[in-house]
Amino acid sequence: MSLSRPVLFRLVLGTAVFVSACGKHDSLTGASNGADGSATPKTANDANAAHPASGFDEPIARAYLDFIAKTSPETASMLGLHDHDDLLDDRSIEGLAANETIARALLTRLETDSSFTQGADLELVKRTLRVELRWDEERKPQLFSPGFYVRPLSTLYA
């Protein structure tokens, strides 16, 4: 399966954010150890349990992961966010416009909301969003890349 650069970068950054936001997890006891060493019990049914950040600022990580889940359920599934496993990415013109609006809204929020901690993680997410927006504006994969529409089929026939 061939992934475009923005999709691959989103997957890599999303994985880093997801792993960082989850903290260390002990699969035998189900406990998660945060940066302060405290143990937080985890269960399979408790998807909203606290995730002590151990790298990325948690509000930034949460905002980016929520963005991925809204705009690309396929990427979210690859990252292990299984709330939208029954959905495919919306590749319609309207869906792509809605995703662009969501990306621009998140970028504006990250640039203006003072509750986000300034740092490398914030800059990384903002730059990722800018690159994705510019890539889509300049490359227009929905118009010039036939693989854009058949990519989901590769999972069926791989």
Side-chain angles (χ1 to χ4, degrees):
M1 176 170 68
S2 174
L3 298 174
S4 67
R5 285 185 198 146
V7 171
L8 185 59
F9 194 69
R10 178 186 282 193
L11 188 59
V12 170
L13 179 61
T15 301
V17 169
F18 185 71
V19 169
S20 178
C22 289
K24 297 177 184 173
H25 182 77
D26 183 345
S27 60
L28 295 176
T29 65
S32 175
N33 295 322
D36 62 354
S38 62
T40 305
K42 298 286 184 194
T43 64
N45 296 330
D46 188 11
N48 295 322
H51 299 301
S54 62
F56 271 81
D57 184 55
E58 187 172 355
I60 296 169
R62 181 65 43 215
Y64 189 69
L65 292 174
D66 289 345
F67 162 75
I68 289 175
K70 285 180 192 171
T71 60
S72 181
E74 294 169 23
T75 304
S77 291
M78 284 190 270
L79 290 173
L81 303 171
H82 299 294
D83 293 339
H84 306 290
D85 281 352
D86 59 329
L87 301 175
L88 294 173
D89 292 1
D90 187 353
R91 289 175 169 78
S92 69
I93 299 298
E94 297 82 13
L96 295 172
N99 288 347
E100 179 183 347
T101 302
I102 293 169
R104 289 191 188 284
L106 177 58
L107 182 58
T108 301
R109 183 174 156 222
L110 292 173
E111 290 174 337
T112 60
D113 190 342
S114 61
S115 67
F116 292 112
T117 305
Q118 297 296 318
D121 50 351
L122 179 61
E123 283 304 312
L124 183 61
V125 172
K126 289 189 316 190
R127 288 179 186 200
T128 299
L129 289 169
R130 287 187 199 114
V131 165
E132 287 183 18
L133 288 166
R134 185 172 177 190
W135 177 274
D136 290 342
E137 285 173 11
E138 292 182 5
R139 300 285 305 241
K140 298 185 185 355
Q142 71 276 17
L143 299 177
F144 301 110
S145 176
F148 180 79
Y149 293 100
V150 298
R151 190 171 297 122
L153 297 175
S154 66
T155 59
L156 297 174
Y157 301 108

